[in-house]
Amino acid sequence: MEISRNWRLQKQRYGLVGEVCEHCGSKIFPPRDVCPACAEEAKTLYQFSGKGEIYSYTTVYDAPDGYEEQAPYTVAIVKLEEGPLVTAQLTDVDNGKVEIGQQVEMVTRKLREDGERGVLVYGYKFRPSWSDENLRVG
Amino acid sequence: MKDVYIIGLGQTEVGEHWETSLRHLAWEAIDAALKDARLKQPDALFVGNVLAGQLSKQEHLGVLVADFCGLRGIEAASVEAAGASGGMALRQAYLAVASGMVNTAIAAGVEKFTDTVGSRATAALTSATDSDWEAAQGATPAALAALIMRRYMHEFDCAVADFAGFSVNAHANAKTNPYAMFRNTITAEAFAKAPMVADPVNMFDTAPDADGAAAVIVAADDFVWAHRDASQRPMIRIAASAVATDSLALHDRPDPLFFRAANLSAGRAYKQAGIEPGDMNVLELHDAYTVYAALSLEACGFAPRGLGWRMAGEGGISLRGKMPLSTFGGLKARGNPAGATGIYQIVEAALQLRGEAGANQVAAPRWGMAQCLGGSGSTAVTHILERVGRDS
């Protein structure tokens, strides 16, 4: 049970809330209070749009404990339109049927469950953008 | 600062040791290394390990191993830096001896992977990634390697088949290594048909997780000269020892296709040893995935950016090539006992420099380099070894 740990991260995981550095203007996700670009303090919250494109992707067949029921699933690195890269599962796609550069948007989904009586962990995943011509119909 | 020498080597066969415990595996390697060094009572012990807390429910490995080896009383601690733990254990032993605080030290690595099997073992491995922001999304070490490989192929215009040469070379070299896990030959054709682990990383791209232990004994220069025996065995000096870090999470790097920690630690090591990549005669890199071999070669100055993959196909990495790589099978075919891997690399490089590599011997090497990585290149530990003649 990791209740406090998941509760602590809910703003970031549910809302894609990061930070912006007042010194160099870098947008930061996940938030870390110290700007990775200029090493100055960066505590101003910043709401990301949730839009981005696929930087890279893979299909996981050998899943860790807590993710077995989802396997095989697609994990991607998404380049957010504000700049940062974020690791996230893709949803509403056929495994492997995506491309580098494809436009995606954030949605909230179940990330994992710790057994029948355990905590359900929710957070962001990404799916092909509705405006995207790559959208599969049906 | 004192010069530090490697005076003893020990290793166990890498594989699935169902009948052997964590402590017993460590003892086998340490006992062999102490006998090789003709040393009974070292001053300190550093144990590299990654997974014992999760897979064997055993922490506190410094005293566990010291006690079991009959070394109660000595200074002992465990060292963890994911896949770089073995190299980091040697780093600690090196610092302890170089500083003059101890005369001799054991740097050991041990991993007992098979104490837990299945998805719980996979979950344990993900603890080397960023738990909140990578593992929470179901990413695994293999998935991170796959994310790198897919993007690398996209940017540098190469295909999965172009990486086959790294694995073919590793297996060819492991064939005559009695300590290797996989001593079978593989072909480029078999590589192309291997099942996927995390697309595009296939089973022949990936090093097998396994049990194993290795140990080296290090000693200060004055101790070595005072205790030198009559043998003509060349001595092995640690010419450089360097550690560097990058971001923990792959996605936090400005360029995820550049192993910056590997680049920094190799650069510091070249400077300390006073040599360049072109001087190297033996190379052991962290080929946990074929794309990691390519990125490590680029980061350490053996290939230009984006062209590391070409070294897989050019024949230069074989035992008789210009830059022999993974000379006893590397992680891929010798096997990857996580926290022990970095010490296996040192044992192998030292065997080459001693001229004791048997069928795997490369021609008269003077300089050998071993670099191990933790996580997706997040930590890098580089050591450069030099063969020193008895009379020098």
Side-chain angles (χ1 to χ4, degrees):
Chain A
M1 295 282 241
E2 299 177 324
I3 294 173
S4 61
R5 181 179 194 178
N6 291 307
W7 169 80
R8 190 163 68 228
L9 295 174
Q10 58 183 316
K11 233 194 261 178
Q12 296 96 308
R13 288 223 181 112
Y14 298 174
L16 215 62
V17 175
E19 290 165 334
V20 58
C21 175
E22 304 278 6
H23 301 90
C24 76
S26 289
K27 310 291 195 307
I28 304 160
F29 190 87
R32 47 167 68 207
D33 293 356
V34 176
C35 176
C38 71
E40 295 289 337
E41 189 175 279
K43 289 186 169 178
T44 309
L45 294 182
Y46 181 85
Q47 174 69 55
F48 282 83
S49 68
K51 296 191 189 320
E53 63 171 53
I54 295 175
Y55 173 86
S56 191
Y57 65 95
T58 180
T59 305
V60 175
Y61 296 92
D62 187 11
D65 199 21
Y67 298 83
E68 292 162 292
E69 284 183 13
Q70 303 175 41
Y73 52 86
T74 302
V75 171
I77 292 179
V78 172
K79 185 169 175 54
L80 300 173
E81 63 179 8
E82 297 88 347
L85 299 176
V86 56
T87 301
Q89 275 194 38
L90 298 183
T91 187
D92 304 349
V93 296
D94 284 345
N95 282 316
K97 298 279 174 59
V98 291
E99 287 176 5
I100 288 175
Q102 192 174 343
Q103 303 295 306
V104 291
E105 64 187 15
M106 180 226 166
V107 289
T108 304
R109 292 284 187 275
K110 186 170 76 183
L111 294 182
R112 61 169 290 167
E113 50 189 299
D114 292 325
E116 231 168 69
R117 304 180 59 160
V119 178
L120 296 178
V121 181
Y122 286 87
Y124 51 79
K125 293 188 181 181
F126 285 78
R127 69 178 175 197
S129 298
W130 292 114
S131 56
D132 185 10
E133 61 185 21
N134 292 322
L135 176 65
R136 287 173 58 259
V137 178
Chain B
M1 287 277 285
K2 295 188 179 187
D3 262 350
V4 181
Y5 287 81
I6 294 179
I7 60 168
L9 309 173
Q11 57 180 327
T12 68
E13 187 179 340
V14 178
E16 296 176 344
H17 292 286
W18 302 104
E19 295 181 355
T20 313
S21 68
L22 179 73
R23 66 188 81 186
H24 201 277
L25 264 182
W27 170 77
E28 278 184 32
I30 288 171
D31 183 56
L34 286 172
K35 282 177 176 152
D36 186 47
R38 296 183 190 85
L39 184 69
K40 288 250 187 291
Q41 189 66 37
D43 297 333
L45 164 69
F46 299 94
V47 182
N49 174 268
V50 187
L51 299 164
Q54 298 184 75
L55 300 185
S56 309
K57 299 281 184 284
Q58 178 70 63
E59 297 279 19
H60 214 170
L61 296 197
V63 60
L64 174 88
V65 174
D67 181 10
F68 196 72
C69 291
L71 298 170
R72 268 186 219 178
I74 69 167
E75 172 179 349
S78 61
V79 180
E80 193 276 323
S85 298
M88 201 68 90
L90 177 60
R91 169 70 173 169
Q92 300 311 313
Y94 170 85
L95 290 175
V97 171
S99 73
M101 294 291 282
V102 304
N103 278 319
T104 59
I106 304 171
V110 60
E111 207 64 61
K112 190 73 190 79
F113 198 80
T114 57
D115 270 359
T116 300
V117 294
S119 64
R120 274 183 54 213
T122 308
L125 284 170
T126 65
S127 64
T129 71
D130 189 324
S131 177
D132 282 344
W133 306 109
E134 292 181 321
Q137 289 284 342
T140 61
L144 296 177
L147 290 167
I148 292 174
M149 189 171 178
R150 166 108 51 207
R151 185 72 194 191
Y152 185 96
M153 296 191 302
H154 175 78
E155 286 196 19
F156 300 122
D157 197 24
C158 53
V160 174
D162 291 321
F163 293 84
F166 289 122
S167 294
V168 171
N169 174 65
H171 277 259
N173 294 344
K175 203 168 178 178
T176 44
N177 175 7
Y179 300 100
M181 182 170 187
F182 290 143
R183 282 167 241 167
N184 60 319
T185 307
I186 68 164
T187 61
E189 293 73 37
F191 181 92
K193 289 182 197 150
M196 282 299 161
V197 176
D199 189 31
V201 167
N202 72 40
M203 214 161 71
F204 285 173
D205 272 307
T206 320
D209 303 312
D211 303 337
V216 299
I217 313 297
V218 295
D221 44 12
D222 45 357
F223 179 93
V224 172
W225 293 113
H227 294 80
R228 59 193 298 199
D229 55 53
S231 80
Q232 291 305 303
R233 193 147 92 178
M235 311 213 307
I236 310 302
R237 185 176 74 94
I238 299 180
S241 171
V243 176
T245 53
D246 198 343
S247 66
L248 174 60
L250 176 63
H251 58 231
D252 280 334
R253 296 176 197 162
D255 181 357
L257 300 186
F258 183 62
F259 275 173
R260 183 157 184 268
N263 176 261
L264 288 174
S265 82
R268 289 169 194 168
Y270 295 145
K271 195 174 167 204
Q272 189 188 351
I275 61 169
E276 295 178 351
D279 298 320
M280 216 60 70
N281 307 115
V282 175
L283 194 52
E284 299 298 332
L285 294 178
H286 199 84
D287 56 343
Y289 305 95
T290 53
V291 71
Y292 282 17
L295 286 185
S296 296
L297 286 165
E298 294 173 18
C300 297
F302 294 97
R305 283 296 309 277
L307 293 179
W309 61 273
R310 284 201 184 165
M311 288 182 74
E314 289 168 347
I317 59 172
S318 72
L319 292 177
R320 278 162 199 78
K322 208 171 137 215
M323 189 61 268
L325 178 65
S326 305
T327 64
F328 283 89
L331 280 66
K332 173 67 197 80
R334 175 238 297 128
N336 182 15
T341 289
I343 301 289
Y344 274 94
Q345 293 177 316
I346 296 293
V347 169
E348 291 160 355
L351 285 172
Q352 290 286 2
L353 299 188
R354 279 181 176 181
E356 295 175 3
N360 295 53
Q361 186 65 51
V362 308
R366 177 180 174 194
W367 299 100
M369 172 166 144
Q371 183 182 72
C372 52
L373 303 178
S376 54
S378 309
T379 299
V381 184
T382 306
H383 285 95
I384 295 175
L385 310 184
E386 183 191 14
R387 174 173 48 84
V388 180
R390 279 271 153 181
D391 302 321
S392 58

